[in-house]
Amino acid sequence: MMRVARSVLALLFAVAVLYGMQHTRPLYSDITSPIVASGGMNRRVEASAFALSLDRVRVARVLNVETFGKSKTYTSSGVWLVVEGEAEAKFETLGLTSGEWLSGSGVRYVLTDRVPATIEMMPGDVYQPGLPRHVLLMFEVPEDAVAGGTVVVARTKLLPLDDEIRIATNVSGRDIEPELTIRRNHKGPSWTVLPQR
Amino acid sequence: MDSSPAKVTSARRGYWPSMAALVVALPAALAAQTWGSIRDWRAQHVRQPVSATLGQPIDYAGASWTVTRFTRLTGIERSTVVLAEFEARAADPKALGAIPCEVRLADGSREWKPTLFADPVLRQQYPEAEQRSLCGGIAFAAMEPGQPARMVASFSIPAAASSLTLSIALYSALPNYLSVSEPQP
Amino acid sequence: MIAGLGGLAASAISFSMTLYEAAHPPKVPVVQAGQQIDTGRWFVTLRSARVGTVPPTGVPPSQPVQLVMVDMDVVNRSATPNNVLYRVVAISAPAQKLEMPTAYLDRDKYLAGYFNPNMPERLTMAWEWPADVPVPDKVTVTVTGQIYKLRDNLYGASGWYDRDPVARVDLPVEKVP
């Protein structure tokens, strides 16, 4: 009798321990999460493989894209975020293919895939060590996701435990321009954001 | 679920040898499982340079290799284009063409991958480079045995970078790779 | 011994559950066109269906095809962008498996990419209809539910998982050139 009771107790104990372990252990996404380097606007933030600085975030209701004489207008149910900055590889040639806008409430927005590849956005570019280059990131987000947003950049989304840079932006979400034009240039800087200011 | 006394003793007797066997078996299983990965990692990361001189042929990966040009072109702003030309005579070019080839430029702490003819500087100053192919499959595909396969690599680097080394690695010949230093002016 | 019996019992239970479900298919509510359907991950509002040969881009494909196009409004209710709507909205042809549909964003009259969270969009999904099968006067669109699991059973990873259909919508098929 005693022995049966002891077995039942041991079984219950094992169940309790397993249940506790299942619910206290960190999530898979936390175990494999990237190694984050954070910073603010207008300064160079260093990760182990690359560095990034962001100079400017502009918000607009409509986005025009001019590539070699052709112009296309992109409307949105939210707003467009146009982010400019500079990125540099530190030790080896690499690509930065993952860019995200993390809203203040933790919702993720990825780089827009509506704008054609002729505009040199960050993911298509190659970064050479020692040669910093300008980056352009464009996001489409609802208006309430603008204020308190963070830009998150990584080499790829698929590599666990890789570097990731997070830059907290300083946009209030109140200064929304009616429209912005991204013009692809033949010479000089690859693009211009109009109207200039 | 009771067992007879005889069975208990035999189970007892087997206990410690089994535990000891586990101490040996577990690491052995781990080693057997990871051995392949360790070997691959070593081949990729622990490499042996085979020093070559500009213009001098050297045997590597079943072919005779010559680096014929290793120069800097004037670039734009703070960047410079480095152009490297090399050729290989292989007894069996088809076999060589199936092997991945990796060309890199390094300065001791940094490493650059080749740019893919995209550089306007290269197109302007050295259009002949476009006649050559990048290292690997295509370069060897059309070659007859003993004929040289002509290849090229260009790099975009900061103008201030110095003491450059060009490395050519064929995956079949790893950990060995060809290493050529930039000629001093 | 006990473990073996347990395993046997588990597979017996699972098998009889499958049998039971096959014998009693879940009743899927029929929803009217224009009514919002909550799938868990998405809000889907089906608008209309039509059959034609020109996709919403306005550029007819090089080889003429019959397209069944369904217009709808969607909102991504999850916290990450997503574009796998074909797992949520489906139509079926008699006795044939349809190819994966293509989604077009109405705003751009072009292929739709990711749908960002909390950004309502109107889109058209186009299925290639087999040439030898006549297009019926109405199609039944099945909308599948998805649930969020904080920890899945294999890795303990978070993710969305397909569930049973949550709605069925009958749409009359307009004929347009």
Side-chain angles (χ1 to χ4, degrees):
Chain A
M1 196 57 211
M2 259 318 271
R3 218 199 263 173
V4 172
R6 219 184 313 163
S7 312
V8 168
L9 271 179
L11 201 66
L12 285 178
F13 177 71
V15 166
V17 168
L18 284 175
Y19 184 84
M21 273 162 66
Q22 188 189 20
H23 284 260
T24 50
R25 128 200 91 128
L27 285 176
Y28 187 72
S29 53
D30 293 333
I31 299 169
T32 58
S33 63
I35 296 152
V36 175
S38 334
M41 295 287 290
N42 300 308
R43 67 184 194 81
R44 190 178 151 105
V45 181
E46 307 254 350
S48 67
F50 66 100
L52 176 74
S53 61
L54 298 180
D55 317 321
R56 205 206 291 254
V57 181
R58 290 173 77 173
V59 192
R61 301 218 176 267
V62 173
L63 191 70
N64 298 307
V65 174
E66 280 180 25
T67 48
F68 308 122
K70 265 196 262 175
S71 177
K72 193 165 174 181
T73 299
Y74 294 90
T75 58
S76 172
S77 71
V79 291
W80 289 97
L81 287 161
V82 176
V83 184
E84 288 177 281
E86 199 176 67
E88 184 188 351
K90 285 163 80 173
F91 305 109
E92 57 174 4
T93 307
L94 52 84
L96 298 173
T97 60
S98 167
E100 292 176 328
W101 180 270
L102 197 59
S103 81
S105 55
V107 180
R108 276 168 198 275
Y109 296 87
V110 291
L111 289 169
T112 184
D113 49 8
R114 289 172 58 192
V115 174
T118 42
I119 283 287
E120 277 180 42
M121 281 208 291
M122 189 196 69
D125 289 342
V126 174
Y127 300 85
Q128 306 286 358
L131 294 175
R133 68 185 286 174
H134 290 290
V135 292
L136 175 67
L137 299 96
M138 282 183 271
F139 304 94
E140 192 189 358
V141 308
E143 217 175 305
D144 61 8
V146 173
T150 302
V151 172
V152 183
V153 169
R155 277 202 278 192
T156 124
K157 207 178 293 207
L158 305 170
L159 262 179
L161 303 175
D162 198 13
D163 277 349
E164 177 180 281
I165 286 181
R166 293 186 175 217
I167 294 182
T169 62
N170 51 5
V171 274
S172 65
R174 280 189 292 276
D175 182 15
I176 301 177
E177 297 171 70
E179 60 177 350
L180 278 177
T181 300
I182 315 281
R183 180 179 293 160
R184 179 90 165 85
N185 297 330
H186 292 268
K187 274 185 193 150
S190 302
W191 69 86
T192 318
V193 180
L194 302 168
Q196 272 169 341
R197 66 169 190 192
Chain B
M1 294 280 257
D2 261 1
S3 316
S4 68
K7 260 189 185 165
V8 170
T9 24
S10 91
R12 285 262 162 83
R13 215 179 295 139
Y15 184 80
W16 286 113
S18 305
M19 276 316 238
L22 205 60
V23 172
V24 181
L26 212 63
L30 272 176
Q33 276 289 321
T34 47
W35 180 244
S37 316
I38 293 170
R39 216 181 34 200
D40 288 352
W41 186 90
R42 263 188 65 90
Q44 275 297 323
H45 294 92
V46 185
R47 294 188 176 186
Q48 284 298 320
V50 175
S51 286
T53 322
L54 192 66
Q56 301 287 317
I58 185 165
D59 284 335
Y60 173 69
S64 169
W65 295 75
T66 318
V67 176
T68 49
R69 188 189 292 266
F70 190 172
T71 47
R72 296 181 185 222
L73 310 177
T74 27
I76 26 174
E77 291 170 37
R78 287 166 299 161
S79 79
T80 288
V81 172
V82 171
L83 177 71
E85 288 182 342
F86 44 95
E87 51 190 56
R89 285 167 202 270
D92 187 0
K94 293 270 178 316
L96 212 56
I99 298 159
C101 173
E102 188 187 280
V103 184
R104 295 285 184 272
L105 189 70
D107 77 343
S109 63
R110 297 175 293 183
E111 194 178 80
W112 292 270
K113 289 181 190 169
T115 54
L116 302 165
F117 295 120
D119 220 302
V121 175
L122 182 66
R123 254 179 288 153
Q124 261 167 34
Q125 297 184 25
Y126 201 77
E128 302 97 290
E130 288 190 53
Q131 308 282 319
R132 294 172 165 247
S133 38
L134 301 170
C135 188
I138 324 151
F140 301 104
M143 284 302 132
E144 296 297 317
Q147 238 187 348
R150 296 198 164 86
M151 293 163 277
V152 69
S154 68
F155 304 87
S156 188
I157 66 162
S162 60
S163 51
L164 299 172
T165 359
L166 175 77
S167 66
I168 301 169
L170 269 92
Y171 280 21
S172 64
L174 286 178
N176 292 341
Y177 68 92
L178 276 187
S179 168
V180 183
S181 296
E182 187 188 23
Q184 296 307 315
Chain C
M1 176 71 168
I2 287 180
L5 277 181
L8 212 64
S11 50
I13 291 169
S14 142
F15 180 67
S16 45
M17 272 169 75
T18 316
L19 269 190
Y20 180 85
E21 268 170 26
H24 306 82
K27 282 260 179 296
V28 179
V30 174
V31 173
Q32 296 301 308
Q35 222 176 308
Q36 192 177 66
I37 301 159
D38 184 351
T39 78
R41 186 173 207 177
W42 302 87
F43 282 155
V44 177
T45 313
L46 294 160
R47 296 285 171 195
S48 57
R50 59 186 191 280
V51 60
T53 52
V54 183
T57 52
V59 183
S62 52
Q63 269 160 15
V65 285
Q66 223 177 182
L67 296 170
V68 171
M69 292 173 273
V70 175
D71 298 321
M72 66 192 88
D73 294 326
V74 299
V75 188
N76 176 357
R77 303 256 297 131
S78 73
T80 45
N82 189 261
N83 62 357
V84 272
L85 268 169
Y86 65 89
R87 295 244 292 268
V88 177
V89 180
I91 63 170
S92 54
Q96 287 212 17
K97 204 173 175 320
L98 291 177
E99 296 275 316
M100 223 171 74
T102 311
Y104 297 89
L105 192 66
D106 255 33
R107 242 175 238 293
D108 291 350
K109 299 271 177 266
Y110 198 68
L111 299 175
Y114 284 99
F115 293 95
N116 281 312
N118 302 323
M119 300 195 78
E121 288 295 349
R122 175 157 294 188
L123 72 129
T124 304
M125 273 169 90
W127 284 266
E128 215 179 295
W129 196 266
D132 51 350
V133 179
V135 179
D137 292 335
K138 70 167 209 202
V139 284
T140 304
V141 183
T142 310
V143 182
T144 304
Q146 287 175 308
I147 59 154
Y148 185 73
K149 282 192 188 177
L150 190 59
R151 298 160 194 278
D152 73 10
N153 299 336
L154 193 56
Y155 293 108
S158 315
W160 287 90
Y161 292 85
D162 290 354
R163 275 295 151 110
D164 292 333
V166 289
R168 223 181 272 284
V169 184
D170 288 331
L171 294 174
V173 181
E174 282 174 60
K175 301 260 194 292
V176 291

